[in-house]
Amino acid sequence: SVAFVLTLQNQEIMAKGQAAPTETLMVKGLPTDCNDEKCNAIFSQYGSVKQAKVLPVAAGKSAAAAFVIMNSVDEAAWIVENVNGNVPQGLQSPVEVIFATPREQRGDKGGKGGKGDMMKGMKGMMKGMMQSWGPYGGDSWGGKGGKGSKG
């Protein structure tokens, strides 16, 4: 039956470390001038698109990425099976299409503040360490009257 085949495909996908099938797709390899409307139009050729959100293109990147939410898992699965690695109508180069990892399973990568907050924390930690060591190597790092053994 179809459900059995889909279950087998899901197990294969999960075994490869990919996200489980969901309506939400992660699309990579879009042209840098792609916007939400153009992305919606491209994927509407293959099913009903609830929402398409093109992400800002990072500096140094030659392609855009987007989240595309389809109306059903079946439509999304069809796109992963048939459009991934191919050139969708309206584009000149192939795209990579995978099931998006749900937000709650993504861990704390990126998002609001991600890297910036981590860097602030690192700077604060380094500043604290430098102050505790003092300007002349003081504290427990030798210097005059260090805690080393005499003998």
Side-chain angles (χ1 to χ4, degrees):
S1 80
V2 174
F4 178 71
V5 172
L6 277 175
T7 302
L8 280 177
Q9 286 177 335
N10 293 356
Q11 288 173 350
E12 281 180 38
I13 287 166
M14 291 171 84
K16 291 179 187 172
Q18 296 171 348
T22 169
E23 298 92 358
T24 307
L25 301 171
M26 176 62 163
V27 182
K28 298 176 186 176
L30 294 167
T32 53
D33 64 347
C34 194
N35 59 27
D36 296 354
E37 294 77 30
K38 188 173 179 181
C39 186
N40 191 323
I42 291 164
F43 289 93
S44 290
Q45 301 172 103
Y46 308 109
S48 301
V49 176
K50 273 189 197 175
Q51 184 184 2
K53 180 70 186 148
V54 177
L55 305 173
V57 179
K61 294 285 183 178
S62 59
F67 284 110
V68 178
I69 304 173
M70 302 303 292
N71 268 344
S72 73
V73 174
D74 287 343
E75 287 176 324
W78 189 92
I79 291 172
V80 170
E81 289 290 317
N82 297 285
V83 179
N84 180 36
N86 293 310
V87 181
Q89 281 190 303
L91 295 182
Q92 274 75 51
S93 55
V95 293
E96 179 186 345
V97 185
I98 59 172
F99 292 109
T101 304
R103 185 170 281 156
E104 57 275 7
Q105 291 175 21
R106 270 186 236 150
D108 195 23
K109 290 190 288 186
K112 287 202 166 87
K115 213 179 208 178
D117 287 351
M118 188 178 88
M119 290 308 291
K120 277 184 200 164
M122 293 286 286
K123 283 181 184 170
M125 189 174 80
M126 291 299 290
K127 188 175 177 186
M129 286 170 61
M130 296 308 282
Q131 286 173 343
S132 71
W133 287 342
Y136 305 106
D139 294 322
S140 63
W141 280 46
K144 272 193 174 168
K147 295 176 186 165
S149 62
K150 293 182 180 171

Short mmCIF file of all heavy atoms in Angstrom, two decimals, residues 86-145:
data_model
loop_
_atom_site.label_atom_id
_atom_site.label_comp_id
_atom_site.label_asym_id
_atom_site.label_seq_id
_atom_site.Cartn_x
_atom_site.Cartn_y
_atom_site.Cartn_z
N ASN A 86 17.13 18.77 -9.37
CA ASN A 86 16.71 19.11 -10.73
C ASN A 86 16.50 20.62 -10.86
O ASN A 86 16.52 21.34 -9.88
CB ASN A 86 15.42 18.37 -11.09
CG ASN A 86 15.67 16.87 -11.18
OD1 ASN A 86 16.61 16.42 -11.83
ND2 ASN A 86 14.85 16.09 -10.48
N VAL A 87 16.28 21.04 -12.11
CA VAL A 87 16.04 22.47 -12.39
C VAL A 87 14.54 22.69 -12.49
O VAL A 87 13.90 22.22 -13.44
CB VAL A 87 16.72 22.89 -13.71
CG1 VAL A 87 16.49 24.37 -13.98
CG2 VAL A 87 18.21 22.58 -13.67
N PRO A 88 13.94 23.39 -11.52
CA PRO A 88 12.50 23.68 -11.61
C PRO A 88 12.21 24.60 -12.80
O PRO A 88 13.06 25.41 -13.17
CB PRO A 88 12.18 24.41 -10.30
CG PRO A 88 13.32 24.13 -9.39
CD PRO A 88 14.52 23.91 -10.28
N GLN A 89 11.02 24.46 -13.38
CA GLN A 89 10.64 25.36 -14.47
C GLN A 89 10.73 26.79 -13.98
O GLN A 89 10.27 27.11 -12.88
CB GLN A 89 9.21 25.07 -14.93
CG GLN A 89 9.12 23.85 -15.83
CD GLN A 89 7.75 23.74 -16.45
OE1 GLN A 89 6.76 23.68 -15.75
NE2 GLN A 89 7.71 23.71 -17.76
N GLY A 90 11.35 27.65 -14.79
CA GLY A 90 11.50 29.06 -14.42
C GLY A 90 12.86 29.37 -13.84
O GLY A 90 13.20 30.53 -13.64
N LEU A 91 13.67 28.34 -13.56
CA LEU A 91 15.03 28.57 -13.06
C LEU A 91 16.05 28.02 -14.05
O LEU A 91 15.71 27.23 -14.92
CB LEU A 91 15.22 27.90 -11.70
CG LEU A 91 14.39 28.44 -10.53
CD1 LEU A 91 14.72 27.70 -9.24
CD2 LEU A 91 14.58 29.93 -10.34
N GLN A 92 17.32 28.43 -13.88
CA GLN A 92 18.38 27.98 -14.80
C GLN A 92 19.30 26.93 -14.18
O GLN A 92 20.10 26.32 -14.87
CB GLN A 92 19.24 29.17 -15.24
CG GLN A 92 18.68 29.92 -16.43
CD GLN A 92 17.49 30.78 -16.07
OE1 GLN A 92 17.54 31.55 -15.14
NE2 GLN A 92 16.40 30.63 -16.81
N SER A 93 19.22 26.75 -12.85
CA SER A 93 20.13 25.79 -12.22
C SER A 93 19.38 24.91 -11.22
O SER A 93 18.31 25.28 -10.74
CB SER A 93 21.27 26.55 -11.53
OG SER A 93 20.76 27.50 -10.62
N PRO A 94 19.96 23.75 -10.90
CA PRO A 94 19.28 22.82 -10.00
C PRO A 94 19.18 23.36 -8.58
O PRO A 94 20.01 24.18 -8.16
CB PRO A 94 20.15 21.57 -10.04
CG PRO A 94 21.40 21.92 -10.74
CD PRO A 94 21.23 23.23 -11.40
N VAL A 95 18.18 22.90 -7.87
CA VAL A 95 18.00 23.29 -6.47
C VAL A 95 18.10 22.05 -5.58
O VAL A 95 17.89 20.93 -6.04
CB VAL A 95 16.62 23.97 -6.24
CG1 VAL A 95 16.55 25.32 -6.94
CG2 VAL A 95 15.48 23.08 -6.66
N GLU A 96 18.46 22.28 -4.33
CA GLU A 96 18.46 21.21 -3.33
C GLU A 96 17.21 21.40 -2.49
O GLU A 96 16.98 22.49 -1.97
CB GLU A 96 19.71 21.31 -2.46
CG GLU A 96 19.77 20.24 -1.38
CD GLU A 96 20.93 20.42 -0.41
OE1 GLU A 96 21.85 21.19 -0.70
OE2 GLU A 96 20.88 19.79 0.66
N VAL A 97 16.40 20.37 -2.38
CA VAL A 97 15.16 20.46 -1.59
C VAL A 97 15.17 19.33 -0.56
O VAL A 97 15.27 18.16 -0.92
CB VAL A 97 13.90 20.32 -2.48
CG1 VAL A 97 12.64 20.55 -1.65
CG2 VAL A 97 13.93 21.29 -3.65
N ILE A 98 15.08 19.72 0.70
CA ILE A 98 15.02 18.74 1.79
C ILE A 98 13.88 19.12 2.73
O ILE A 98 13.40 20.25 2.69
CB ILE A 98 16.35 18.66 2.58
CG1 ILE A 98 16.70 20.04 3.18
CG2 ILE A 98 17.48 18.13 1.71
CD1 ILE A 98 17.89 20.01 4.13
N PHE A 99 13.46 18.17 3.56
CA PHE A 99 12.47 18.50 4.58
C PHE A 99 13.16 19.37 5.61
O PHE A 99 14.27 19.06 6.06
CB PHE A 99 11.92 17.23 5.24
CG PHE A 99 11.09 16.39 4.33
CD1 PHE A 99 11.57 15.16 3.88
CD2 PHE A 99 9.85 16.81 3.90
CE1 PHE A 99 10.81 14.38 3.01
CE2 PHE A 99 9.08 16.03 3.04
CZ PHE A 99 9.56 14.82 2.59
N ALA A 100 12.52 20.47 6.00
CA ALA A 100 13.10 21.36 6.99
C ALA A 100 13.03 20.71 8.36
O ALA A 100 12.06 20.02 8.68
CB ALA A 100 12.36 22.69 7.00
N THR A 101 14.06 20.93 9.15
CA THR A 101 14.05 20.45 10.53
C THR A 101 13.14 21.38 11.32
O THR A 101 13.31 22.60 11.27
CB THR A 101 15.48 20.49 11.12
OG1 THR A 101 16.32 19.73 10.27
CG2 THR A 101 15.51 19.93 12.53
N PRO A 102 12.16 20.83 12.06
CA PRO A 102 11.28 21.69 12.84
C PRO A 102 12.08 22.59 13.78
O PRO A 102 13.11 22.18 14.31
CB PRO A 102 10.42 20.70 13.63
CG PRO A 102 10.46 19.45 12.83
CD PRO A 102 11.82 19.42 12.18
N ARG A 103 11.61 23.81 13.97
CA ARG A 103 12.32 24.82 14.77
C ARG A 103 12.74 24.28 16.13
O ARG A 103 13.86 24.48 16.57
CB ARG A 103 11.42 26.04 14.93
CG ARG A 103 12.09 27.19 15.64
CD ARG A 103 11.26 28.44 15.56
NE ARG A 103 11.46 29.04 14.24
CZ ARG A 103 10.60 29.84 13.64
NH1 ARG A 103 9.48 30.12 14.21
NH2 ARG A 103 10.86 30.35 12.46
N GLU A 104 11.84 23.53 16.79
CA GLU A 104 12.16 23.04 18.14
C GLU A 104 13.25 21.97 18.14
O GLU A 104 13.84 21.68 19.16
CB GLU A 104 10.90 22.54 18.86
CG GLU A 104 10.14 21.44 18.14
CD GLU A 104 9.13 21.96 17.10
OE1 GLU A 104 9.12 23.18 16.82
OE2 GLU A 104 8.38 21.13 16.57
N GLN A 105 13.57 21.39 16.97
CA GLN A 105 14.62 20.37 16.90
C GLN A 105 15.94 20.91 16.35
O GLN A 105 16.92 20.20 16.27
CB GLN A 105 14.16 19.21 16.01
CG GLN A 105 13.04 18.39 16.60
CD GLN A 105 12.55 17.34 15.61
OE1 GLN A 105 13.24 16.96 14.69
NE2 GLN A 105 11.32 16.88 15.82
N ARG A 106 15.96 22.18 15.97
CA ARG A 106 17.14 22.74 15.32
C ARG A 106 18.27 23.06 16.28
O ARG A 106 19.36 23.36 15.87
CB ARG A 106 16.78 24.03 14.58
CG ARG A 106 16.36 23.77 13.17
CD ARG A 106 16.14 25.06 12.44
NE ARG A 106 14.79 25.04 11.91
CZ ARG A 106 14.04 26.09 11.71
NH1 ARG A 106 14.47 27.27 12.01
NH2 ARG A 106 12.83 25.95 11.23
N GLY A 107 18.01 23.08 17.58
CA GLY A 107 19.07 23.48 18.51
C GLY A 107 19.17 24.99 18.51
O GLY A 107 18.32 25.69 18.01
N ASP A 108 20.25 25.50 19.06
CA ASP A 108 20.37 26.95 19.20
C ASP A 108 21.33 27.52 18.18
O ASP A 108 22.25 28.25 18.52
CB ASP A 108 20.83 27.27 20.63
CG ASP A 108 20.64 28.74 20.97
OD1 ASP A 108 19.79 29.39 20.33
OD2 ASP A 108 21.33 29.24 21.85
N LYS A 109 21.13 27.20 16.90
CA LYS A 109 22.00 27.74 15.87
C LYS A 109 21.32 28.97 15.27
O LYS A 109 20.16 28.95 14.93
CB LYS A 109 22.20 26.72 14.75
CG LYS A 109 23.04 25.54 15.17
CD LYS A 109 23.41 24.69 13.98
CE LYS A 109 22.24 23.92 13.46
NZ LYS A 109 22.51 22.98 12.42
N GLY A 110 22.08 30.02 15.14
CA GLY A 110 21.59 31.21 14.46
C GLY A 110 20.38 31.79 15.15
O GLY A 110 20.33 31.90 16.35
N GLY A 111 19.40 32.18 14.36
CA GLY A 111 18.20 32.77 14.92
C GLY A 111 18.49 34.14 15.51
O GLY A 111 19.48 34.77 15.17
N LYS A 112 17.63 34.59 16.37
CA LYS A 112 17.80 35.92 16.97
C LYS A 112 19.02 35.93 17.88
O LYS A 112 19.05 35.26 18.89
CB LYS A 112 16.55 36.30 17.75
CG LYS A 112 15.38 36.64 16.86
CD LYS A 112 14.40 37.49 17.60
CE LYS A 112 13.40 38.12 16.65
NZ LYS A 112 12.26 37.32 16.38
N GLY A 113 20.01 36.68 17.50
CA GLY A 113 21.17 36.86 18.36
C GLY A 113 22.20 35.77 18.30
O GLY A 113 23.35 36.05 18.56
N GLY A 114 21.85 34.55 18.00
CA GLY A 114 22.74 33.40 17.98
C GLY A 114 24.21 33.70 18.11
O GLY A 114 24.75 33.77 19.19
N LYS A 115 24.88 33.93 16.99
CA LYS A 115 26.32 34.11 16.96
C LYS A 115 26.74 35.38 17.70
O LYS A 115 27.71 35.37 18.44
CB LYS A 115 26.76 34.21 15.51
CG LYS A 115 28.12 33.64 15.24
CD LYS A 115 28.43 33.77 13.77
CE LYS A 115 29.38 32.70 13.29
NZ LYS A 115 29.64 32.78 11.88
N GLY A 116 26.00 36.46 17.51
CA GLY A 116 26.35 37.73 18.15
C GLY A 116 26.40 37.61 19.66
O GLY A 116 27.35 38.04 20.30
N ASP A 117 25.37 37.01 20.25
CA ASP A 117 25.34 36.85 21.70
C ASP A 117 26.48 35.97 22.18
O ASP A 117 27.08 36.23 23.21
CB ASP A 117 24.01 36.24 22.15
CG ASP A 117 22.86 37.24 22.06
OD1 ASP A 117 23.14 38.42 21.81
OD2 ASP A 117 21.70 36.83 22.22
N MET A 118 26.79 34.94 21.41
CA MET A 118 27.86 34.04 21.81
C MET A 118 29.19 34.80 21.80
O MET A 118 30.00 34.66 22.71
CB MET A 118 27.95 32.85 20.85
CG MET A 118 28.93 31.80 21.32
SD MET A 118 28.97 30.39 20.22
CE MET A 118 30.20 30.94 19.05
N MET A 119 29.41 35.64 20.81
CA MET A 119 30.65 36.40 20.73
C MET A 119 30.76 37.40 21.88
O MET A 119 31.81 37.56 22.47
CB MET A 119 30.76 37.14 19.38
CG MET A 119 30.98 36.21 18.21
SD MET A 119 32.35 35.04 18.42
CE MET A 119 33.74 36.14 18.35
N LYS A 120 29.64 38.05 22.23
CA LYS A 120 29.65 38.96 23.38
C LYS A 120 30.05 38.20 24.64
O LYS A 120 30.84 38.67 25.44
CB LYS A 120 28.26 39.59 23.59
CG LYS A 120 27.98 40.78 22.74
CD LYS A 120 26.62 41.36 23.11
CE LYS A 120 26.09 42.22 22.00
NZ LYS A 120 24.67 42.48 22.15
N GLY A 121 29.48 37.02 24.80
CA GLY A 121 29.80 36.20 25.96
C GLY A 121 31.26 35.81 25.99
O GLY A 121 31.91 35.85 27.04
N MET A 122 31.83 35.48 24.85
CA MET A 122 33.24 35.10 24.77
C MET A 122 34.12 36.29 25.14
O MET A 122 35.09 36.14 25.88
CB MET A 122 33.60 34.63 23.35
CG MET A 122 32.95 33.34 22.94
SD MET A 122 33.66 31.92 23.74
CE MET A 122 35.20 31.80 22.84
N LYS A 123 33.78 37.48 24.62
CA LYS A 123 34.59 38.67 24.93
C LYS A 123 34.56 38.95 26.43
O LYS A 123 35.58 39.25 27.03
CB LYS A 123 34.07 39.89 24.15
CG LYS A 123 34.48 39.89 22.71
CD LYS A 123 33.96 41.14 22.01
CE LYS A 123 34.29 41.09 20.54
NZ LYS A 123 33.62 42.15 19.80
N GLY A 124 33.37 38.85 27.02
CA GLY A 124 33.24 39.08 28.46
C GLY A 124 34.06 38.08 29.26
O GLY A 124 34.73 38.42 30.23
N MET A 125 34.03 36.82 28.83
CA MET A 125 34.77 35.77 29.53
C MET A 125 36.27 36.04 29.43
O MET A 125 37.00 35.95 30.41
CB MET A 125 34.44 34.41 28.91
CG MET A 125 34.98 33.23 29.68
SD MET A 125 34.39 31.68 28.98
CE MET A 125 35.51 31.50 27.61
N MET A 126 36.75 36.41 28.24
CA MET A 126 38.18 36.68 28.05
C MET A 126 38.61 37.87 28.89
O MET A 126 39.65 37.85 29.52
CB MET A 126 38.48 36.95 26.56
CG MET A 126 38.33 35.74 25.68
SD MET A 126 39.44 34.40 26.12
CE MET A 126 41.01 35.08 25.62
N LYS A 127 37.77 38.91 28.91
CA LYS A 127 38.10 40.11 29.69
C LYS A 127 38.22 39.75 31.17
O LYS A 127 39.18 40.15 31.84
CB LYS A 127 37.00 41.16 29.47
CG LYS A 127 37.30 42.50 30.06
CD LYS A 127 36.21 43.51 29.68
CE LYS A 127 36.47 44.84 30.33
NZ LYS A 127 35.38 45.77 30.08
N GLY A 128 37.28 38.94 31.67
CA GLY A 128 37.32 38.52 33.06
C GLY A 128 38.57 37.71 33.37
O GLY A 128 39.21 37.90 34.41
N MET A 129 38.96 36.83 32.46
CA MET A 129 40.15 36.01 32.67
C MET A 129 41.40 36.88 32.70
O MET A 129 42.27 36.70 33.55
CB MET A 129 40.28 34.95 31.56
CG MET A 129 39.29 33.82 31.70
SD MET A 129 39.22 32.73 30.27
CE MET A 129 40.88 32.10 30.21
N MET A 130 41.47 37.84 31.80
CA MET A 130 42.66 38.69 31.72
C MET A 130 42.79 39.53 32.99
O MET A 130 43.87 39.70 33.52
CB MET A 130 42.60 39.61 30.49
CG MET A 130 42.61 38.86 29.16
SD MET A 130 43.94 37.68 28.98
CE MET A 130 45.28 38.80 28.58
N GLN A 131 41.67 40.04 33.51
CA GLN A 131 41.71 40.85 34.72
C GLN A 131 42.14 40.01 35.92
O GLN A 131 42.91 40.46 36.75
CB GLN A 131 40.34 41.49 34.99
CG GLN A 131 40.03 42.62 34.04
CD GLN A 131 38.61 43.13 34.18
OE1 GLN A 131 37.75 42.48 34.75
NE2 GLN A 131 38.37 44.29 33.60
N SER A 132 41.68 38.76 36.00
CA SER A 132 42.01 37.94 37.16
C SER A 132 43.48 37.52 37.14
O SER A 132 44.05 37.23 38.17
CB SER A 132 41.10 36.70 37.22
OG SER A 132 41.45 35.79 36.20
N TRP A 133 44.10 37.51 35.97
CA TRP A 133 45.51 37.13 35.91
C TRP A 133 46.41 38.29 36.27
O TRP A 133 47.59 38.11 36.53
CB TRP A 133 45.87 36.63 34.50
CG TRP A 133 45.32 35.27 34.21
CD1 TRP A 133 44.88 34.35 35.11
CD2 TRP A 133 45.14 34.68 32.94
NE1 TRP A 133 44.44 33.23 34.48
CE2 TRP A 133 44.59 33.40 33.14
CE3 TRP A 133 45.40 35.11 31.64
CZ2 TRP A 133 44.29 32.54 32.09
CZ3 TRP A 133 45.10 34.24 30.60
CH2 TRP A 133 44.56 32.98 30.83
N GLY A 134 45.86 39.48 36.22
CA GLY A 134 46.65 40.66 36.59
C GLY A 134 47.72 40.96 35.54
O GLY A 134 48.01 40.15 34.67
N PRO A 135 48.33 42.15 35.64
CA PRO A 135 49.27 42.58 34.61
C PRO A 135 50.63 41.89 34.69
O PRO A 135 51.38 41.89 33.74
CB PRO A 135 49.40 44.07 34.85
CG PRO A 135 49.05 44.26 36.30
CD PRO A 135 48.06 43.18 36.62
N TYR A 136 51.00 41.29 35.83
CA TYR A 136 52.35 40.73 35.95
C TYR A 136 52.34 39.23 36.19
O TYR A 136 53.20 38.71 36.88
CB TYR A 136 53.12 41.45 37.08
CG TYR A 136 53.15 42.92 36.89
CD1 TYR A 136 52.36 43.75 37.67
CD2 TYR A 136 53.93 43.49 35.89
CE1 TYR A 136 52.38 45.12 37.47
CE2 TYR A 136 53.94 44.86 35.68
CZ TYR A 136 53.16 45.67 36.47
OH TYR A 136 53.17 47.02 36.27
N GLY A 137 51.36 38.57 35.66
CA GLY A 137 51.32 37.12 35.81
C GLY A 137 50.92 36.67 37.19
O GLY A 137 50.89 35.50 37.48
N GLY A 138 50.61 37.59 38.11
CA GLY A 138 50.29 37.38 39.53
C GLY A 138 49.57 36.11 39.88
O GLY A 138 49.79 35.07 39.32
N ASP A 139 48.72 36.16 40.84
CA ASP A 139 47.91 35.07 41.35
C ASP A 139 48.68 33.75 41.40
O ASP A 139 49.75 33.67 41.98
CB ASP A 139 46.61 34.93 40.58
CG ASP A 139 45.70 36.14 40.77
OD1 ASP A 139 45.66 36.68 41.91
OD2 ASP A 139 45.06 36.54 39.82
N SER A 140 48.16 32.72 40.79
CA SER A 140 48.75 31.39 40.92
C SER A 140 49.77 31.07 39.83
O SER A 140 50.15 29.94 39.66
CB SER A 140 47.64 30.34 40.93
OG SER A 140 46.98 30.38 39.68
N TRP A 141 50.21 32.07 39.10
CA TRP A 141 51.12 31.80 38.00
C TRP A 141 52.54 32.26 38.32
O TRP A 141 53.17 32.98 37.57
CB TRP A 141 50.64 32.52 36.74
CG TRP A 141 49.52 31.76 36.06
CD1 TRP A 141 48.44 31.22 36.64
CD2 TRP A 141 49.42 31.47 34.67
NE1 TRP A 141 47.65 30.60 35.72
CE2 TRP A 141 48.23 30.75 34.50
CE3 TRP A 141 50.20 31.75 33.56
CZ2 TRP A 141 47.82 30.30 33.25
CZ3 TRP A 141 49.79 31.33 32.33
CH2 TRP A 141 48.60 30.59 32.18
N GLY A 142 53.07 31.87 39.44
CA GLY A 142 54.47 32.23 39.77
C GLY A 142 54.58 33.65 40.22
O GLY A 142 53.85 34.11 41.07
N GLY A 143 55.51 34.41 39.68
CA GLY A 143 55.74 35.77 40.12
C GLY A 143 56.41 35.73 41.49
O GLY A 143 56.76 34.67 41.99
N LYS A 144 56.61 36.90 42.14
CA LYS A 144 57.25 36.95 43.45
C LYS A 144 56.42 36.24 44.49
O LYS A 144 55.23 36.48 44.58
CB LYS A 144 57.49 38.39 43.87
CG LYS A 144 58.79 38.94 43.40
CD LYS A 144 59.09 40.23 44.10
CE LYS A 144 60.48 40.68 43.71
NZ LYS A 144 60.73 42.04 44.11
N GLY A 145 57.07 35.42 45.28
CA GLY A 145 56.34 34.75 46.36
C GLY A 145 55.30 33.78 45.89
O GLY A 145 54.28 33.60 46.53
#
